[in-house]
Amino acid sequence: MLTMDDIIRDGHPTLRKIAEEVPMPPSDEDKQILASLLEYVVNSQNNETAEKYGLRPGIGLAAPQINVAKRMIAVHVTDDKDKLYSYALFNPKIISHSVEKAYLKAGEGCLSVDESFPGFVPRYARVTVKGYDIDGKEVKIRLKGLPSICFQHEIDHLNGIMFYDHIDKANPFRNIEGAIEIDR
Ligand SMILES: [Zn+2]
C-alpha cells in the first residue's frame, strides 16, 4: 500500500511533466498502480488507518504524484448532498465544461505540496469527464461542486500543472467575476 513516503513533493520534475496516455486495454501493472491510488485516498480518509500509517488525508491522487508519469487519477469525495464520487480512471479527459467558474472558499491543498498556498483557484463550475475504469471500460461523468473541482485538480497533475499556478499572485483573494463560491 502507498504511504506518504511514496508521494513526491513540489519541486520534483515528474510533477511538471506531461504524463503519457495509458494503452487500453490496461496491463496488469497499470491496473495495480491505478488501484493503489484509490486505495491511498480511501485509507487516508479512514481515521484509524490514516493515523496508523501517517497518511495525510486527501480526496484525490494522480499517478505523477507517486512518480509515475502516466495518465491515471483516483478521486474519493462526497458532494454537498453526501453523494459519493469514488473513481479510479485511466486517461481522464474534460470533454466539455461550463462557462461559469467556481472556486473553493478555503482554497486548495495538495498531498505533494507541504506548504500552504492561500488564495482562490478558479475552476470550471461544471465539467464532463470521460475516462476508462480499471477494466478499460469507458465511463462518462457529469460533475459540479467539490467533485468537479477535485477532478480538475487531479487532471491538472497529468499536464504538469499545480493548483497554485492558477492563483492570482498579486491578489490571491481577488473576486472571481460571476463564479460560484463552494464553501466546504
Ligand atoms: Zn494535487
Side-chain angles (χ1 to χ4, degrees):
M1 66 173 270
L2 298 174
T3 68
M4 286 305 288
D5 292 340
D6 299 297
I7 295 176
I8 59 171
R9 306 304 159 87
D10 207 8
H12 193 295
T14 300
L15 290 171
R16 291 303 189 176
K17 279 187 192 158
I18 307 286
E20 301 270 347
E21 290 270 324
V22 179
M24 293 292 114
S27 67
D28 286 345
E29 190 196 345
D30 287 337
K31 284 184 182 185
Q32 199 270 324
I33 295 167
L34 185 65
S36 74
L37 295 176
L38 185 59
E39 184 192 46
Y40 177 92
V41 186
V42 172
N43 282 343
S44 80
Q45 292 180 32
N46 177 303
N47 289 339
E48 212 173 290
T49 322
E51 197 172 324
K52 186 173 173 190
Y53 297 103
L55 311 178
R56 191 178 145 201
I59 57 176
L61 188 62
Q65 294 181 271
I66 58 162
N67 203 17
V68 173
K70 293 181 178 180
R71 305 188 82 83
M72 306 183 203
I73 63 166
V75 166
H76 191 75
V77 64
T78 52
D79 67 11
D80 54 0
K81 294 182 185 78
D82 265 350
K83 182 183 173 188
L84 177 66
Y85 291 76
S86 188
Y87 287 97
L89 296 180
F90 294 113
N91 305 329
K93 197 176 171 199
I94 295 169
I95 55 167
S96 68
H97 62 78
S98 60
V99 172
E100 192 173 30
K101 298 287 179 75
Y103 61 92
L104 298 184
K105 188 182 179 186
E108 295 186 20
C110 180
L111 293 169
S112 293
V113 180
D114 291 329
E115 52 184 317
S116 96
F117 281 88
F120 298 146
V121 180
R123 303 280 188 192
Y124 301 122
R126 295 170 297 282
V127 293
T128 301
V129 172
K130 196 181 94 170
Y132 298 85
D133 70 12
I134 197 149
D135 299 313
K137 190 171 153 263
E138 188 182 298
V139 291
K140 204 196 264 187
I141 317 155
R142 284 183 183 80
L143 301 152
K144 59 180 175 152
L146 182 61
S148 168
I149 303 277
C150 183
F151 272 81
Q152 290 174 72
H153 177 119
E154 300 313 327
I155 291 172
D156 266 356
H157 276 305
L158 308 181
N159 297 317
I161 299 166
M162 303 296 285
F163 74 93
Y164 58 76
D165 297 344
H166 298 292
I167 298 175
D168 185 324
K169 304 282 174 295
N171 188 359
F173 294 100
R174 188 170 63 88
N175 178 50
I176 302 166
E177 196 76 37
I180 300 171
E181 183 177 84
I182 301 169
D183 186 8
R184 55 165 285 181

